[in-house]
Amino acid sequence: MTTGEKELRELVAGSGWLTRALTVVRDSGLPDAWIGAGALRDLVWGERYGDGFDPAQIRDVDVVFFDPARLTSVDDDRATARLTEMWPQPPWQARNQAAVHTWYAAKFGGDPIEPYRSVAEAVATWPEYATAVAVSLDSADRLKVCAPYGLTDLLGGVWRHNPARVDVARSRQRLARHRPAQRWPGVTVIEPG
């Protein structure tokens, strides 16, 4: 285990809210299910670079799973509803990463994308390196970490564009919408471009 993974595990273990969310996701029965992106970033950056972590400020809890047999948006809605039934409080948003290729170009423009072969392959395309991280609990309550680019930007408080799937214009839109330097004063923003 790297030093970064140890630090991330301690931050997650220190959050009863995120631990409960991870337990709900694990117990939901969704295949290869993880929590990643903004909720994880908000926890780490709130604790390290802001005024603490406030679950009430979470816009959505991104739950990703991998099920090549269920590729419709209705299946995503069912997965989200299952999580909401188990714990109504968080704003769950479940997305099957095996289905992203079926809707990505229609939603975001550009050419169709190839189907992802795993959650890790999908996570590697997320918009910033700091949010290209997901975590899950195994059956023994051990935290698993999926971080294709490592944890340096997440733990180091660096907002940096990941060009794997998101272009510079959309990265700038995300930067303006999320305002990381205002939300977490200790975060370093590297302008896309």
Side-chain angles (χ1 to χ4, degrees), residues 16-83:
W17 183 89
L18 188 55
T19 300
R20 180 175 179 188
L22 285 164
T23 302
V24 167
V25 169
R26 179 198 59 208
D27 295 347
S28 71
L30 294 172
D32 198 15
W34 301 71
I35 292 177
L40 196 54
R41 175 206 58 215
D42 289 4
L43 167 69
V44 173
W45 288 4
E47 291 297 323
R48 286 192 157 192
Y49 304 103
D51 296 329
F53 174 61
D54 181 1
Q57 299 299 314
I58 297 279
R59 293 179 186 185
D60 54 39
V61 178
D62 292 303
V63 175
V64 294
F65 63 100
F66 200 83
D67 187 350
R70 293 188 166 83
L71 302 180
T72 71
S73 62
V74 172
D75 294 309
D76 285 348
D77 294 343
R78 283 188 191 122
T80 300
R82 182 184 310 169
L83 295 166

Side-chain angles (χ1 to χ4, degrees), residues 112-169:
I113 64 171
E114 291 295 316
Y116 295 133
R117 295 171 296 210
S118 66
V119 165
E121 189 174 57
V123 169
T125 69
W126 290 357
E128 294 86 35
Y129 292 121
T131 56
V133 178
V135 293
S136 67
L137 283 182
D138 68 14
S139 59
D141 288 334
R142 289 181 301 244
L143 190 73
K144 297 187 300 182
V145 178
C146 175
Y149 304 105
L151 298 169
T152 303
D153 281 5
L154 176 62
L155 295 172
V158 177
W159 178 288
R160 181 189 335 246
H161 169 228
N162 174 7
R165 179 80 58 220
V166 174
D167 63 23
V168 170

Side-chain angles (χ1 to χ4, degrees), residues 166-189:
V166 174
D167 63 23
V168 170
R170 200 156 27 147
S171 180
R172 288 188 178 128
Q173 291 169 351
R174 287 182 52 79
L175 183 57
R177 185 173 76 240
H178 288 285
R179 303 174 353 276
Q182 289 77 33
R183 289 174 68 192
W184 306 286
V187 165
T188 300
V189 174

